[in-house]
């Protein structure tokens, strides 16, 4: 298995080593996420909200930890890292609290020509969503996509930038502490080729 190192840009220190995942590993992760999606969807909006708010509490309690990690791995000032983590929590809390409001089934007037009919709009999850995170906002940007996808009932394959994989691993690890079952949020690591496999997958 090929590995790559995550480096502190300020001093070249190795922060961690991660696998460069191949196409078959992406497909395996996709299969696992597909198997996990039904149980996640069955929790309903309220059940998922409880899980996501517990996750938000973990991040809040460990905001200094993730801020330090962002600072060391991306090179951004610690104050900026703390602000970014706070904004990521805002994404998470908003998605958890508002998913049902925006995605609940809507009754619609079918119009005069179909007055004897009923019409409604039903929002259904996609199933599995792929998210690729950038290096410059390694928690704020991907957490927007991750949390909205999760709140809507999707499972997620998340590939952080190869420059900030430790931040991505932290995100997935903290979610796993509150996840009701495995494979709801799966970490994908690697380089641009790995990201290509993810974008081309089903």
């Amino acid at each position: 298995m090929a590995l790559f190192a995550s480096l502190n840009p300020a001093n070249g220190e190795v922060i961690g080593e991660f696998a460069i995942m191949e196409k078959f590993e992406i497909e395996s992760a996709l299969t696992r996420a597909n198997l996990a999606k039904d149980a996640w969807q069955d929790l309903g909006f309220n059940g998922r909200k409880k899980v996501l708010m517990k996750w938000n509490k973990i991040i809040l309690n460990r905001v200094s930890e993730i801020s330090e990690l962002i600072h060391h791995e991306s090179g951004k000032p610690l104050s900026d890292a703390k602000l970014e983590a706070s904004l990521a929590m805002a994404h998470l809390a908003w998605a958890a609290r508002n998913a049902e409001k925006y995605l609940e089934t809507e009754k619609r007037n079918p119009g005069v020509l179909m007055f004897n009919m009923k019409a409604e709009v039903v929002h259904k999850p996609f199933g599995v969503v792929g998210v690729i995170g950038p290096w410059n906002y390694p928690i704020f940007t991907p957490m927007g996509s991750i949390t909205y996808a999760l709140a809507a009932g999707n499972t997620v394959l998340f590939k952080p930038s190869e420059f900030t994989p430790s931040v991505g691993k932290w995100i997935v690890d903290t979610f796993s502490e509150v996840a009701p079952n495995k494979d709801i949020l799966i970490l994908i690591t690697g380089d641009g080729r790995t990201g290509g496999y993810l974008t081309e997958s089903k």
Side-chain angles (χ1 to χ4, degrees):
M1 177 191 302
L3 300 174
F4 70 98
S6 169
L7 305 176
N8 182 327
N11 56 22
E13 174 190 355
V14 175
I15 294 174
E17 288 191 330
F18 297 86
I20 300 176
M21 295 176 72
E22 297 293 339
K23 186 174 184 178
F24 76 93
E25 294 173 288
I26 307 300
E27 297 302 328
S28 173
L30 178 58
T31 298
R32 297 191 331 264
N34 260 313
L35 291 172
K37 75 181 186 313
D38 290 340
W40 180 240
Q41 289 170 10
D42 287 347
L43 287 178
F45 290 112
N46 195 48
R48 292 192 296 271
K49 176 182 176 181
K50 288 177 182 176
V51 173
L52 294 174
M53 292 309 292
K54 285 180 185 175
W55 187 24
N56 202 46
K57 187 173 182 181
I58 288 175
I59 297 172
L60 178 62
N61 290 338
R62 294 166 59 181
V63 71
S64 294
E65 177 185 324
I66 186 55
S67 299
E68 287 282 351
L69 185 57
I70 293 168
H71 167 62
H72 289 299
E73 195 167 48
S74 74
K76 72 170 50 182
L78 186 58
S79 58
D80 288 4
K82 287 180 179 176
L83 174 60
E84 183 185 342
S86 299
L87 293 171
M89 286 186 285
H91 266 318
L92 177 49
W94 195 94
R97 292 182 178 128
N98 290 284
E100 183 171 14
K101 175 183 175 183
Y102 288 98
L103 297 176
E104 66 184 348
T105 298
E106 303 171 37
K107 304 293 183 188
R108 294 288 174 88
N109 184 339
V112 176
L113 294 178
M114 300 175 67
F115 72 93
N116 61 331
M117 303 286 183
K118 291 183 179 179
E120 62 183 21
V121 176
V122 178
H123 300 276
K124 294 194 177 278
F126 289 114
V128 183
V129 172
V131 174
I132 296 179
W135 68 269
N136 56 338
Y137 288 95
I139 190 169
F140 171 62
T141 300
M143 281 291 278
S145 301
I146 290 168
T147 57
Y148 296 124
L150 291 175
N154 302 286
T155 51
V156 175
L157 302 184
F158 169 43
K159 183 204 171 292
S161 165
E162 56 268 37
F163 297 109
T164 53
S166 299
V167 176
K169 183 177 185 302
W170 190 94
I171 291 169
V172 174
D173 287 349
T174 52
F175 179 77
S176 70
E177 294 178 28
V178 297
N181 51 282
K182 295 192 308 180
D183 299 326
I184 297 169
L185 175 59
I186 299 175
L187 179 68
I188 303 295
T189 58
D191 53 17
R193 188 180 58 159
T194 308
Y197 294 146
L198 179 57
T199 61
E200 292 162 7
S201 71
K202 294 179 182 178

